[in-house]
Amino acid sequence: WLDDLWAQATEVVPEGTALWVNNKSGVVQDLLVSGEVSLADTNVVALPVGLTMIANPYPTDLKLGVKGTDVGVDPSYSQLAEGAYSDGTAANSDKILFWDGSAYVGYWYCDGTGYGPDYDGQWLDDLWVKQDLLDIPVGSGIWYNRKAGAAGSWDKNKNF
C-alpha cells in the first residue's frame, strides 16, 4: 500500500475499526488482512453521532442479539443493542447497514416502551421484523448511524 506521496503506508488499523478499500481493478479480488487478535475480555468501540464504520473487534461472526440477554449464557450476544439509541421510531433511532454480498441491508434499533417483547430492545427491518438471530460474517464492516444527541459506545465482550 502506498500513501498519497507514493511512500509505503505505515498506518495501523486500530482494534474495533473498519476500513474502506476502493478496488479500481474492475475485477473481484480477495484481500488478506493479518494482525494480532485482541485477547482483552472487553473492547470498547466508539459510536460518535452521525455515520461511522465499525467492526467486530474479535475474529468471529457477529450476532445482533437483543438488549438484556445474559452474556454469560449466550456468549455470541453482541451487546450492540446496549449502547443503541431509540425513541421508538425508525426515523429517529440508531441504524446499522452492512453489505450482504449483493446489497446493503439496514436495521433500526427499537426500544419503544410498550411495544412488547417482539419489538422492545430489538433490531428490526423496515417491516418491523426482529433480527435477533442475524449473523454478520467475520470481517464485515458495519455502517452505524448514531441518531442520539450524544456519542455512545459499544462494549463488546470476547466470545471465544
Side-chain angles (χ1 to χ4, degrees), residues 15-100:
E15 293 174 358
T17 61
L19 62 116
W20 187 271
V21 177
N22 187 0
N23 180 2
K24 295 184 176 185
S25 71
V27 296
V28 174
Q29 296 184 354
D30 292 325
L31 176 66
L32 175 64
V33 179
S34 64
E36 297 178 21
V37 172
S38 174
L39 297 177
D41 288 336
T42 302
N43 273 289
V44 178
V45 178
L47 300 174
V49 175
L51 191 62
T52 191
M53 184 172 263
I54 63 172
N56 186 353
Y58 298 108
T60 59
D61 287 352
L62 177 63
K63 295 179 186 299
L64 285 184
V66 295
K67 187 173 185 176
T69 300
D70 184 349
V71 177
V73 174
D74 183 1
S76 64
Y77 171 55
S78 75
Q79 298 100 3
L80 191 53
E82 295 295 339
Y85 170 81
S86 175
D87 73 350
T89 67
N92 297 314
S93 298
D94 286 2
K95 293 182 175 66
I96 59 170
L97 292 161
F98 77 97
W99 185 256
D100 73 356

Side-chain angles (χ1 to χ4, degrees), residues 64 94-96 98 105-109 123-125 131 134:
L64 285 184
D94 286 2
K95 293 182 175 66
I96 59 170
F98 77 97
V105 180
Y107 304 101
W108 65 281
Y109 181 67
W123 290 96
L124 305 176
D125 65 16
Q131 302 299 314
L134 179 72

Side-chain angles (χ1 to χ4, degrees), residues 98-126:
F98 77 97
W99 185 256
D100 73 356
S102 60
Y104 277 101
V105 180
Y107 304 101
W108 65 281
Y109 181 67
C110 180
D111 199 17
T113 303
Y115 285 129
D118 286 339
Y119 305 106
D120 286 343
Q122 304 277 350
W123 290 96
L124 305 176
D125 65 16
D126 290 336

